[in-house]
Short mmCIF file of all heavy atoms in Angstrom, two decimals:
data_model
loop_
_atom_site.label_atom_id
_atom_site.label_comp_id
_atom_site.label_asym_id
_atom_site.label_seq_id
_atom_site.Cartn_x
_atom_site.Cartn_y
_atom_site.Cartn_z
N MET A 1 0.88 -1.18 -0.03
CA MET A 1 0.00 0.03 -0.01
C MET A 1 0.87 1.20 0.06
O MET A 1 1.27 1.80 1.03
CB MET A 1 -0.90 -0.03 1.25
CG MET A 1 -1.94 1.04 1.19
SD MET A 1 -3.24 0.72 2.44
CE MET A 1 -2.36 1.00 4.02
N SER A 2 1.23 1.70 -1.14
CA SER A 2 2.21 2.79 -1.29
C SER A 2 1.59 4.19 -1.06
O SER A 2 2.30 5.11 -0.66
CB SER A 2 2.90 2.76 -2.66
OG SER A 2 1.85 2.89 -3.63
N ASN A 3 0.29 4.25 -1.22
CA ASN A 3 -0.36 5.59 -1.05
C ASN A 3 -0.91 5.86 0.31
O ASN A 3 -1.41 6.95 0.59
CB ASN A 3 -1.47 5.80 -2.08
CG ASN A 3 -2.59 4.83 -1.99
OD1 ASN A 3 -2.64 4.04 -1.02
ND2 ASN A 3 -3.46 4.77 -2.96
N ASN A 4 -0.79 4.96 1.22
CA ASN A 4 -1.21 5.01 2.62
C ASN A 4 -2.65 5.30 2.74
O ASN A 4 -3.10 5.78 3.84
CB ASN A 4 -0.38 6.08 3.40
CG ASN A 4 1.01 5.66 3.56
OD1 ASN A 4 1.31 4.50 3.71
ND2 ASN A 4 1.92 6.60 3.60
N LEU A 5 -3.48 5.01 1.72
CA LEU A 5 -4.94 5.24 1.85
C LEU A 5 -5.45 3.93 2.45
O LEU A 5 -5.03 2.89 2.13
CB LEU A 5 -5.56 5.49 0.52
CG LEU A 5 -5.22 6.85 -0.14
CD1 LEU A 5 -5.87 6.92 -1.50
CD2 LEU A 5 -5.72 7.96 0.74
N PRO A 6 -6.45 4.04 3.34
CA PRO A 6 -7.07 2.83 3.95
C PRO A 6 -7.72 1.98 2.85
O PRO A 6 -8.26 2.50 1.84
CB PRO A 6 -8.04 3.40 4.92
CG PRO A 6 -8.28 4.80 4.61
CD PRO A 6 -7.14 5.31 3.78
N THR A 7 -7.77 0.74 3.14
CA THR A 7 -8.41 -0.26 2.22
C THR A 7 -9.30 -1.15 3.09
O THR A 7 -9.17 -1.23 4.32
CB THR A 7 -7.44 -1.13 1.46
OG1 THR A 7 -6.61 -1.81 2.34
CG2 THR A 7 -6.62 -0.21 0.52
N GLY A 8 -10.06 -1.95 2.49
CA GLY A 8 -10.83 -2.94 3.18
C GLY A 8 -11.85 -2.35 4.13
O GLY A 8 -12.44 -1.28 3.97
N THR A 9 -11.97 -2.97 5.31
CA THR A 9 -12.91 -2.66 6.36
C THR A 9 -12.61 -1.17 6.83
O THR A 9 -13.54 -0.41 7.03
CB THR A 9 -12.88 -3.63 7.55
OG1 THR A 9 -13.16 -4.93 7.02
CG2 THR A 9 -13.82 -3.24 8.61
N GLU A 10 -11.35 -0.88 7.03
CA GLU A 10 -10.94 0.44 7.47
C GLU A 10 -11.43 1.58 6.54
O GLU A 10 -11.90 2.59 6.99
CB GLU A 10 -9.43 0.55 7.65
CG GLU A 10 -8.83 -0.32 8.78
CD GLU A 10 -8.61 -1.77 8.36
OE1 GLU A 10 -8.90 -2.17 7.23
OE2 GLU A 10 -8.05 -2.54 9.20
N ALA A 11 -11.30 1.27 5.20
CA ALA A 11 -11.74 2.29 4.29
C ALA A 11 -13.25 2.41 4.33
O ALA A 11 -13.76 3.57 4.19
CB ALA A 11 -11.36 1.86 2.86
N GLY A 12 -13.95 1.38 4.61
CA GLY A 12 -15.38 1.42 4.76
C GLY A 12 -15.80 2.30 5.90
O GLY A 12 -16.74 3.08 5.78
N VAL A 13 -15.07 2.18 7.04
CA VAL A 13 -15.33 2.94 8.22
C VAL A 13 -15.04 4.42 7.92
O VAL A 13 -15.85 5.29 8.26
CB VAL A 13 -14.55 2.47 9.45
CG1 VAL A 13 -14.65 3.44 10.62
CG2 VAL A 13 -14.98 1.02 9.84
N CYS A 14 -13.99 4.72 7.26
CA CYS A 14 -13.64 6.10 6.92
C CYS A 14 -14.67 6.70 6.06
O CYS A 14 -15.13 7.78 6.27
CB CYS A 14 -12.25 6.15 6.18
SG CYS A 14 -10.84 5.77 7.28
N ASN A 15 -15.16 5.92 4.99
CA ASN A 15 -16.26 6.39 4.19
C ASN A 15 -17.56 6.63 4.93
O ASN A 15 -18.29 7.60 4.68
CB ASN A 15 -16.46 5.48 3.02
CG ASN A 15 -15.33 5.43 2.07
OD1 ASN A 15 -14.67 6.49 1.80
ND2 ASN A 15 -15.04 4.35 1.37
N ASP A 16 -17.81 5.79 5.86
CA ASP A 16 -19.04 5.95 6.71
C ASP A 16 -18.95 7.28 7.55
O ASP A 16 -19.93 8.00 7.70
CB ASP A 16 -19.22 4.78 7.66
CG ASP A 16 -19.68 3.51 6.96
OD1 ASP A 16 -20.09 3.65 5.78
OD2 ASP A 16 -19.58 2.46 7.56
N ILE A 17 -17.74 7.57 8.06
CA ILE A 17 -17.48 8.76 8.87
C ILE A 17 -17.77 10.00 7.98
O ILE A 17 -18.44 10.94 8.35
CB ILE A 17 -16.14 8.76 9.51
CG1 ILE A 17 -16.09 7.72 10.62
CG2 ILE A 17 -15.83 10.16 10.08
CD1 ILE A 17 -14.68 7.49 11.20
N ILE A 18 -17.22 9.99 6.76
CA ILE A 18 -17.39 11.08 5.85
C ILE A 18 -18.91 11.25 5.53
O ILE A 18 -19.40 12.40 5.52
CB ILE A 18 -16.62 10.87 4.52
CG1 ILE A 18 -15.07 10.94 4.86
CG2 ILE A 18 -17.01 11.81 3.48
CD1 ILE A 18 -14.24 10.42 3.74
N ARG A 19 -19.60 10.19 5.27
CA ARG A 19 -21.06 10.21 4.97
C ARG A 19 -21.79 10.80 6.20
O ARG A 19 -22.67 11.66 5.99
CB ARG A 19 -21.57 8.84 4.61
CG ARG A 19 -22.96 8.82 4.21
CD ARG A 19 -23.44 7.34 3.95
NE ARG A 19 -23.11 6.40 4.95
CZ ARG A 19 -23.77 6.26 6.09
NH1 ARG A 19 -24.79 7.00 6.37
NH2 ARG A 19 -23.38 5.26 6.96
N ARG A 20 -21.45 10.33 7.41
CA ARG A 20 -22.13 10.81 8.58
C ARG A 20 -21.85 12.29 8.83
O ARG A 20 -22.77 13.09 9.21
CB ARG A 20 -21.73 10.00 9.81
CG ARG A 20 -22.15 8.55 9.78
CD ARG A 20 -23.61 8.36 10.01
NE ARG A 20 -24.03 8.83 11.30
CZ ARG A 20 -25.27 9.11 11.60
NH1 ARG A 20 -26.22 8.87 10.75
NH2 ARG A 20 -25.60 9.60 12.79
N GLN A 21 -20.63 12.69 8.59
CA GLN A 21 -20.34 14.11 8.78
C GLN A 21 -21.18 15.04 7.73
O GLN A 21 -21.76 16.03 8.15
CB GLN A 21 -18.88 14.42 8.55
CG GLN A 21 -18.53 15.92 8.81
CD GLN A 21 -17.09 16.24 8.50
OE1 GLN A 21 -16.51 15.87 7.56
NE2 GLN A 21 -16.49 17.04 9.43
N ARG A 22 -21.23 14.61 6.51
CA ARG A 22 -22.02 15.35 5.50
C ARG A 22 -23.50 15.39 5.95
O ARG A 22 -24.16 16.44 5.85
CB ARG A 22 -21.89 14.69 4.15
CG ARG A 22 -20.56 14.92 3.57
CD ARG A 22 -20.35 14.30 2.19
NE ARG A 22 -19.03 14.55 1.67
CZ ARG A 22 -18.41 13.77 0.85
NH1 ARG A 22 -18.95 12.61 0.36
NH2 ARG A 22 -17.17 14.09 0.45
N LEU A 23 -24.00 14.26 6.39
CA LEU A 23 -25.39 14.24 6.85
C LEU A 23 -25.66 15.14 8.06
O LEU A 23 -26.62 15.92 8.14
CB LEU A 23 -25.80 12.76 7.26
CG LEU A 23 -27.19 12.64 7.80
CD1 LEU A 23 -28.22 12.82 6.66
CD2 LEU A 23 -27.29 11.18 8.36
N GLY A 24 -24.63 15.13 9.02
CA GLY A 24 -24.73 16.01 10.17
C GLY A 24 -24.67 17.47 9.84
O GLY A 24 -25.53 18.31 10.40
N ILE A 25 -23.79 17.85 8.96
CA ILE A 25 -23.73 19.24 8.48
C ILE A 25 -25.05 19.64 7.84
O ILE A 25 -25.51 20.73 8.03
CB ILE A 25 -22.51 19.48 7.55
CG1 ILE A 25 -21.19 19.35 8.40
CG2 ILE A 25 -22.54 20.84 6.91
CD1 ILE A 25 -19.93 19.25 7.54
N SER A 26 -25.50 18.75 6.94
CA SER A 26 -26.82 19.05 6.26
C SER A 26 -27.99 19.23 7.21
O SER A 26 -28.76 20.13 7.18
CB SER A 26 -27.12 17.94 5.30
OG SER A 26 -28.36 18.12 4.72
N LYS A 27 -28.00 18.37 8.28
CA LYS A 27 -29.05 18.38 9.22
C LYS A 27 -28.98 19.49 10.29
O LYS A 27 -29.92 20.19 10.59
CB LYS A 27 -29.16 17.06 9.95
CG LYS A 27 -30.33 16.85 10.90
CD LYS A 27 -30.43 15.45 11.44
CE LYS A 27 -31.60 15.28 12.27
NZ LYS A 27 -31.68 13.88 12.79
N TYR A 28 -27.70 19.73 10.77
CA TYR A 28 -27.48 20.64 11.82
C TYR A 28 -26.76 21.92 11.51
O TYR A 28 -26.63 22.88 12.29
CB TYR A 28 -26.74 19.94 13.03
CG TYR A 28 -27.47 18.77 13.56
CD1 TYR A 28 -27.05 17.49 13.28
CD2 TYR A 28 -28.60 18.96 14.30
CE1 TYR A 28 -27.79 16.40 13.77
CE2 TYR A 28 -29.29 17.85 14.88
CZ TYR A 28 -28.89 16.54 14.54
OH TYR A 28 -29.59 15.49 14.97
N GLY A 29 -26.25 22.03 10.33
CA GLY A 29 -25.52 23.18 9.84
C GLY A 29 -24.15 23.37 10.41
O GLY A 29 -23.64 24.53 10.37
N THR A 30 -23.65 22.39 11.09
CA THR A 30 -22.36 22.55 11.73
C THR A 30 -21.68 21.22 11.88
O THR A 30 -22.33 20.18 11.76
CB THR A 30 -22.46 23.23 13.12
OG1 THR A 30 -21.15 23.50 13.67
CG2 THR A 30 -23.24 22.38 14.09
N THR A 31 -20.34 21.23 12.08
CA THR A 31 -19.56 19.99 12.35
C THR A 31 -19.67 19.76 13.92
O THR A 31 -19.98 20.65 14.70
CB THR A 31 -18.17 20.09 11.99
OG1 THR A 31 -17.51 21.05 12.70
CG2 THR A 31 -18.02 20.37 10.45
N VAL A 32 -19.31 18.59 14.33
CA VAL A 32 -19.21 18.26 15.77
C VAL A 32 -18.13 19.19 16.48
O VAL A 32 -18.39 19.74 17.54
CB VAL A 32 -18.78 16.74 16.01
CG1 VAL A 32 -18.44 16.57 17.47
CG2 VAL A 32 -19.93 15.86 15.55
N ALA A 33 -17.03 19.41 15.75
CA ALA A 33 -15.96 20.22 16.32
C ALA A 33 -16.43 21.67 16.58
O ALA A 33 -16.01 22.38 17.53
CB ALA A 33 -14.75 20.28 15.44
N GLU A 34 -17.36 22.21 15.67
CA GLU A 34 -17.85 23.54 15.82
C GLU A 34 -19.13 23.69 16.68
O GLU A 34 -19.52 24.81 16.94
CB GLU A 34 -18.14 24.10 14.39
CG GLU A 34 -16.90 24.17 13.54
CD GLU A 34 -17.24 24.31 12.07
OE1 GLU A 34 -18.38 24.08 11.64
OE2 GLU A 34 -16.26 24.74 11.33
N ASN A 35 -19.75 22.54 17.06
CA ASN A 35 -20.92 22.62 17.79
C ASN A 35 -20.67 23.09 19.25
O ASN A 35 -19.78 22.47 19.95
CB ASN A 35 -21.54 21.17 17.79
CG ASN A 35 -22.94 21.16 18.32
OD1 ASN A 35 -23.16 21.67 19.43
ND2 ASN A 35 -23.84 20.65 17.59
N PRO A 36 -21.45 23.94 19.75
CA PRO A 36 -21.15 24.57 21.06
C PRO A 36 -21.71 23.82 22.24
O PRO A 36 -21.67 24.32 23.39
CB PRO A 36 -21.79 25.98 20.97
CG PRO A 36 -22.99 25.71 20.07
CD PRO A 36 -22.49 24.75 19.08
N LEU A 37 -22.25 22.61 22.03
CA LEU A 37 -22.79 21.84 23.13
C LEU A 37 -21.73 21.66 24.25
O LEU A 37 -20.51 21.52 23.95
CB LEU A 37 -23.31 20.47 22.68
CG LEU A 37 -24.54 20.48 21.81
CD1 LEU A 37 -24.88 19.07 21.39
CD2 LEU A 37 -25.73 21.08 22.49
N GLY A 38 -22.19 21.61 25.48
CA GLY A 38 -21.29 21.30 26.58
C GLY A 38 -21.04 19.83 26.77
O GLY A 38 -21.65 18.97 26.10
N LEU A 39 -20.08 19.45 27.62
CA LEU A 39 -19.67 18.09 27.76
C LEU A 39 -20.83 17.19 28.15
O LEU A 39 -20.97 16.07 27.67
CB LEU A 39 -18.52 18.02 28.76
CG LEU A 39 -18.04 16.59 29.18
CD1 LEU A 39 -17.46 15.86 27.90
CD2 LEU A 39 -16.93 16.73 30.25
N ARG A 40 -21.63 17.67 29.07
CA ARG A 40 -22.78 16.90 29.55
C ARG A 40 -23.69 16.54 28.37
O ARG A 40 -24.20 15.41 28.26
CB ARG A 40 -23.50 17.51 30.66
CG ARG A 40 -24.61 16.63 31.27
CD ARG A 40 -25.38 17.28 32.39
NE ARG A 40 -26.19 16.28 33.04
CZ ARG A 40 -27.31 15.74 32.54
NH1 ARG A 40 -27.66 16.00 31.34
NH2 ARG A 40 -27.97 14.80 33.23
N GLU A 41 -24.01 17.51 27.55
CA GLU A 41 -24.89 17.29 26.45
C GLU A 41 -24.30 16.25 25.44
O GLU A 41 -25.01 15.41 24.99
CB GLU A 41 -25.20 18.56 25.63
CG GLU A 41 -26.07 19.53 26.46
CD GLU A 41 -25.42 20.43 27.38
OE1 GLU A 41 -24.16 20.41 27.44
OE2 GLU A 41 -26.13 21.27 27.97
N TRP A 42 -23.01 16.33 25.24
CA TRP A 42 -22.30 15.31 24.37
C TRP A 42 -22.41 13.94 24.95
O TRP A 42 -22.71 12.98 24.27
CB TRP A 42 -20.84 15.65 24.15
CG TRP A 42 -20.65 16.77 23.08
CD1 TRP A 42 -20.12 18.01 23.37
CD2 TRP A 42 -21.04 16.72 21.79
NE1 TRP A 42 -20.19 18.76 22.23
CE2 TRP A 42 -20.77 18.00 21.19
CE3 TRP A 42 -21.66 15.77 20.90
CZ2 TRP A 42 -20.91 18.33 19.84
CZ3 TRP A 42 -21.91 16.15 19.63
CH2 TRP A 42 -21.51 17.37 19.06
N LEU A 43 -22.32 13.88 26.28
CA LEU A 43 -22.35 12.55 26.89
C LEU A 43 -23.82 12.05 26.89
O LEU A 43 -23.99 10.81 26.72
CB LEU A 43 -21.87 12.65 28.36
CG LEU A 43 -20.47 12.88 28.52
CD1 LEU A 43 -20.01 13.23 30.04
CD2 LEU A 43 -19.62 11.71 28.02
N VAL A 44 -24.85 12.91 27.01
CA VAL A 44 -26.20 12.44 26.87
C VAL A 44 -26.44 11.92 25.52
O VAL A 44 -27.08 10.85 25.27
CB VAL A 44 -27.20 13.55 27.30
CG1 VAL A 44 -28.63 13.28 26.88
CG2 VAL A 44 -27.11 13.87 28.75
N HIS A 45 -25.98 12.65 24.41
CA HIS A 45 -26.06 12.19 23.07
C HIS A 45 -25.48 10.83 22.92
O HIS A 45 -26.09 9.89 22.35
CB HIS A 45 -25.43 13.10 22.09
CG HIS A 45 -26.28 14.27 21.75
ND1 HIS A 45 -27.45 14.21 21.15
CD2 HIS A 45 -26.04 15.65 21.96
CE1 HIS A 45 -27.96 15.47 20.99
NE2 HIS A 45 -27.12 16.34 21.44
N ALA A 46 -24.29 10.65 23.47
CA ALA A 46 -23.55 9.33 23.32
C ALA A 46 -24.34 8.24 24.04
O ALA A 46 -24.47 7.06 23.53
CB ALA A 46 -22.18 9.42 23.84
N TYR A 47 -24.89 8.58 25.26
CA TYR A 47 -25.61 7.58 26.01
C TYR A 47 -26.85 7.13 25.27
O TYR A 47 -27.15 5.95 25.15
CB TYR A 47 -25.96 8.17 27.36
CG TYR A 47 -26.88 7.34 28.19
CD1 TYR A 47 -26.42 6.13 28.77
CD2 TYR A 47 -28.19 7.71 28.40
CE1 TYR A 47 -27.32 5.35 29.57
CE2 TYR A 47 -29.06 6.91 29.16
CZ TYR A 47 -28.67 5.75 29.65
OH TYR A 47 -29.45 5.00 30.45
N GLU A 48 -27.59 8.09 24.70
CA GLU A 48 -28.81 7.83 23.97
C GLU A 48 -28.57 6.97 22.76
O GLU A 48 -29.29 6.05 22.40
CB GLU A 48 -29.52 9.06 23.59
CG GLU A 48 -30.19 9.78 24.81
CD GLU A 48 -30.66 11.17 24.50
OE1 GLU A 48 -30.38 11.69 23.48
OE2 GLU A 48 -31.34 11.70 25.47
N GLU A 49 -27.45 7.27 22.09
CA GLU A 49 -27.06 6.46 20.88
C GLU A 49 -26.68 5.02 21.27
O GLU A 49 -26.91 4.08 20.53
CB GLU A 49 -26.04 7.17 20.09
CG GLU A 49 -26.59 8.47 19.46
CD GLU A 49 -25.91 8.92 18.19
OE1 GLU A 49 -25.27 8.11 17.59
OE2 GLU A 49 -26.11 10.06 17.87
N THR A 50 -26.07 4.93 22.43
CA THR A 50 -25.67 3.60 22.95
C THR A 50 -26.89 2.81 23.26
O THR A 50 -26.95 1.56 22.99
CB THR A 50 -24.77 3.76 24.23
OG1 THR A 50 -23.62 4.44 23.79
CG2 THR A 50 -24.39 2.43 24.75
N LEU A 51 -27.93 3.41 23.85
CA LEU A 51 -29.26 2.76 24.11
C LEU A 51 -29.82 2.25 22.79
O LEU A 51 -30.27 1.12 22.72
CB LEU A 51 -30.15 3.66 24.84
CG LEU A 51 -29.75 4.00 26.27
CD1 LEU A 51 -30.81 5.00 26.78
CD2 LEU A 51 -29.71 2.80 27.18
N ASP A 52 -29.78 3.13 21.75
CA ASP A 52 -30.32 2.70 20.43
C ASP A 52 -29.52 1.51 19.92
O ASP A 52 -30.05 0.59 19.38
CB ASP A 52 -30.18 3.87 19.48
CG ASP A 52 -31.13 4.98 19.73
OD1 ASP A 52 -32.15 4.78 20.53
OD2 ASP A 52 -30.94 6.07 19.24
N GLN A 53 -28.18 1.53 20.08
CA GLN A 53 -27.39 0.47 19.56
C GLN A 53 -27.76 -0.82 20.23
O GLN A 53 -27.90 -1.88 19.60
CB GLN A 53 -25.91 0.76 19.80
CG GLN A 53 -24.96 -0.32 19.28
CD GLN A 53 -23.55 -0.09 19.60
OE1 GLN A 53 -23.21 0.58 20.55
NE2 GLN A 53 -22.68 -0.66 18.77
N ALA A 54 -28.02 -0.82 21.57
CA ALA A 54 -28.37 -1.99 22.32
C ALA A 54 -29.71 -2.60 21.78
O ALA A 54 -29.85 -3.83 21.59
CB ALA A 54 -28.54 -1.72 23.82
N ILE A 55 -30.61 -1.70 21.44
CA ILE A 55 -31.86 -2.16 20.85
C ILE A 55 -31.68 -2.80 19.49
O ILE A 55 -32.28 -3.91 19.21
CB ILE A 55 -32.89 -0.98 20.75
CG1 ILE A 55 -33.27 -0.52 22.22
CG2 ILE A 55 -34.12 -1.34 19.95
CD1 ILE A 55 -34.01 0.87 22.23
N TYR A 56 -30.88 -2.16 18.66
CA TYR A 56 -30.60 -2.78 17.31
C TYR A 56 -29.92 -4.17 17.46
O TYR A 56 -30.22 -5.07 16.75
CB TYR A 56 -29.70 -1.86 16.49
CG TYR A 56 -30.18 -0.46 16.36
CD1 TYR A 56 -29.26 0.59 16.20
CD2 TYR A 56 -31.57 -0.10 16.38
CE1 TYR A 56 -29.73 1.94 16.04
CE2 TYR A 56 -31.97 1.16 16.21
CZ TYR A 56 -30.99 2.19 16.04
OH TYR A 56 -31.49 3.52 15.90
N LEU A 57 -29.00 -4.22 18.40
CA LEU A 57 -28.24 -5.51 18.62
C LEU A 57 -29.21 -6.59 19.09
O LEU A 57 -29.18 -7.75 18.66
CB LEU A 57 -27.09 -5.30 19.58
CG LEU A 57 -25.91 -4.53 19.04
CD1 LEU A 57 -24.97 -4.22 20.22
CD2 LEU A 57 -25.13 -5.29 17.95
N LYS A 58 -30.11 -6.25 20.09
CA LYS A 58 -31.02 -7.21 20.59
C LYS A 58 -32.01 -7.71 19.50
O LYS A 58 -32.28 -8.86 19.43
CB LYS A 58 -31.82 -6.58 21.74
CG LYS A 58 -32.81 -7.51 22.35
CD LYS A 58 -32.20 -8.70 23.05
CE LYS A 58 -33.18 -9.53 23.85
NZ LYS A 58 -32.59 -10.69 24.35
N ARG A 59 -32.46 -6.81 18.70
CA ARG A 59 -33.35 -7.12 17.60
C ARG A 59 -32.66 -8.07 16.66
O ARG A 59 -33.27 -9.07 16.18
CB ARG A 59 -33.79 -5.84 16.88
CG ARG A 59 -35.09 -5.96 16.06
CD ARG A 59 -34.82 -6.38 14.75
NE ARG A 59 -35.94 -6.41 13.81
CZ ARG A 59 -35.89 -7.19 12.78
NH1 ARG A 59 -34.82 -7.91 12.53
NH2 ARG A 59 -36.81 -7.15 11.87
N ALA A 60 -31.42 -7.80 16.29
CA ALA A 60 -30.66 -8.68 15.36
C ALA A 60 -30.45 -10.08 16.00
O ALA A 60 -30.65 -11.08 15.31
CB ALA A 60 -29.33 -8.00 14.99
N ILE A 61 -30.14 -10.12 17.29
CA ILE A 61 -30.00 -11.38 17.94
C ILE A 61 -31.30 -12.21 17.91
O ILE A 61 -31.32 -13.43 17.65
CB ILE A 61 -29.49 -11.14 19.42
CG1 ILE A 61 -28.04 -10.68 19.41
CG2 ILE A 61 -29.58 -12.50 20.22
CD1 ILE A 61 -27.55 -10.11 20.71
N GLU A 62 -32.41 -11.53 18.15
CA GLU A 62 -33.71 -12.20 18.10
C GLU A 62 -34.02 -12.75 16.75
O GLU A 62 -34.54 -13.88 16.59
CB GLU A 62 -34.85 -11.25 18.53
CG GLU A 62 -34.74 -10.87 20.05
CD GLU A 62 -35.72 -9.77 20.45
OE1 GLU A 62 -36.12 -8.98 19.52
OE2 GLU A 62 -35.86 -9.55 21.68
N GLU A 63 -33.63 -11.98 15.70
CA GLU A 63 -33.91 -12.45 14.36
C GLU A 63 -33.01 -13.71 14.09
O GLU A 63 -33.47 -14.68 13.45
CB GLU A 63 -33.53 -11.33 13.35
CG GLU A 63 -33.89 -11.68 11.91
CD GLU A 63 -33.65 -10.56 10.96
OE1 GLU A 63 -33.91 -9.47 11.37
OE2 GLU A 63 -33.39 -10.87 9.81
N ILE A 64 -31.76 -13.71 14.46
CA ILE A 64 -30.86 -14.84 14.25
C ILE A 64 -31.48 -16.04 15.04
O ILE A 64 -31.48 -17.19 14.54
CB ILE A 64 -29.45 -14.53 14.73
CG1 ILE A 64 -28.81 -13.54 13.74
CG2 ILE A 64 -28.59 -15.77 14.88
CD1 ILE A 64 -27.49 -13.00 14.26
N ASP A 65 -31.90 -15.79 16.24
CA ASP A 65 -32.44 -16.92 17.08
C ASP A 65 -33.73 -17.52 16.39
O ASP A 65 -33.88 -18.69 16.40
CB ASP A 65 -32.78 -16.41 18.50
CG ASP A 65 -31.60 -16.20 19.36
OD1 ASP A 65 -30.42 -16.61 18.92
OD2 ASP A 65 -31.72 -15.55 20.39
N ARG A 66 -34.58 -16.70 15.87
CA ARG A 66 -35.76 -17.17 15.11
C ARG A 66 -35.33 -18.00 13.91
O ARG A 66 -35.88 -19.10 13.69
CB ARG A 66 -36.66 -16.05 14.72
CG ARG A 66 -37.54 -15.46 15.85
CD ARG A 66 -38.62 -14.46 15.33
NE ARG A 66 -38.08 -13.39 14.57
CZ ARG A 66 -37.69 -12.23 15.18
NH1 ARG A 66 -37.72 -12.05 16.44
NH2 ARG A 66 -37.20 -11.19 14.36
N TRP A 67 -34.34 -17.50 13.17
CA TRP A 67 -33.87 -18.25 11.99
C TRP A 67 -33.24 -19.56 12.45
O TRP A 67 -33.57 -20.62 11.85
CB TRP A 67 -32.83 -17.41 11.28
CG TRP A 67 -32.38 -18.02 9.96
CD1 TRP A 67 -33.05 -17.91 8.76
CD2 TRP A 67 -31.34 -18.94 9.82
NE1 TRP A 67 -32.38 -18.68 7.78
CE2 TRP A 67 -31.32 -19.31 8.45
CE3 TRP A 67 -30.38 -19.49 10.60
CZ2 TRP A 67 -30.42 -20.19 7.86
CZ3 TRP A 67 -29.42 -20.31 10.03
CH2 TRP A 67 -29.47 -20.73 8.71
N LEU A 68 -32.48 -19.62 13.48
CA LEU A 68 -31.85 -20.86 13.97
C LEU A 68 -32.91 -21.87 14.46
O LEU A 68 -32.73 -23.03 14.26
CB LEU A 68 -30.81 -20.55 15.08
CG LEU A 68 -29.51 -19.88 14.65
CD1 LEU A 68 -28.68 -19.46 15.79
CD2 LEU A 68 -28.83 -20.73 13.66
N THR A 69 -33.94 -21.37 15.03
CA THR A 69 -35.05 -22.27 15.51
C THR A 69 -35.71 -22.93 14.30
O THR A 69 -36.05 -24.10 14.41
CB THR A 69 -36.08 -21.44 16.37
OG1 THR A 69 -35.35 -20.87 17.49
CG2 THR A 69 -37.20 -22.34 16.89
N LYS A 70 -35.87 -22.20 13.23
CA LYS A 70 -36.54 -22.69 12.06
C LYS A 70 -35.59 -23.52 11.20
O LYS A 70 -36.04 -24.35 10.41
CB LYS A 70 -37.13 -21.55 11.20
CG LYS A 70 -38.26 -20.83 11.84
CD LYS A 70 -38.76 -19.70 11.02
CE LYS A 70 -39.76 -18.86 11.72
NZ LYS A 70 -40.15 -17.70 10.95
N ASN A 71 -34.32 -23.30 11.38
CA ASN A 71 -33.28 -23.98 10.59
C ASN A 71 -32.20 -24.67 11.44
O ASN A 71 -31.08 -24.23 11.36
CB ASN A 71 -32.62 -23.04 9.55
CG ASN A 71 -33.69 -22.38 8.67
OD1 ASN A 71 -34.15 -22.98 7.76
ND2 ASN A 71 -34.01 -21.15 8.99
N PRO A 72 -32.61 -25.66 12.20
CA PRO A 72 -31.59 -26.31 13.14
C PRO A 72 -30.47 -27.00 12.42
O PRO A 72 -30.47 -27.37 11.35
CB PRO A 72 -32.45 -27.27 13.91
CG PRO A 72 -33.74 -27.40 13.28
CD PRO A 72 -33.86 -26.32 12.28
#
């Protein structure tokens, strides 16, 4: 890798970050670095997103379990 650009999974994550930043700027009109929220507000946002992630993970696990039950 002579150009030092990420490839594979890492490149996918980088592209996702770019996409999310563009979406955030479009939605909120600012970047995270420029957003004036205080530390507590950032932590609340992170906490709420973590709760959402737990719900998504649980739902995916339930779907896999249903599939495994039907396809032993």
Side-chain angles (χ1 to χ4, degrees):
M1 189 166 67
S2 62
N3 61 10
N4 290 329
L5 293 177
T7 60
T9 301
E10 293 83 357
V13 171
C14 292
N15 290 330
D16 289 344
I17 290 170
I18 291 166
R19 183 181 51 78
R20 294 289 298 163
Q21 183 185 42
R22 288 179 179 152
L23 180 67
I25 291 170
S26 173
K27 185 173 181 178
Y28 300 106
T30 186
T31 65
V32 169
E34 297 166 342
N35 191 306
L37 291 178
L39 177 59
R40 186 178 192 289
E41 287 88 0
W42 284 115
L43 291 172
V44 169
H45 279 298
Y47 173 72
E48 290 170 348
E49 294 208 15
T50 300
L51 293 174
D52 290 343
Q53 181 184 27
I55 292 166
Y56 305 151
L57 290 169
K58 181 65 174 174
R59 200 274 187 199
I61 291 167
E62 290 169 348
E63 184 173 333
I64 289 169
D65 288 347
R66 282 191 302 272
W67 186 86
L68 289 173
T69 299
K70 293 177 185 177
N71 302 285

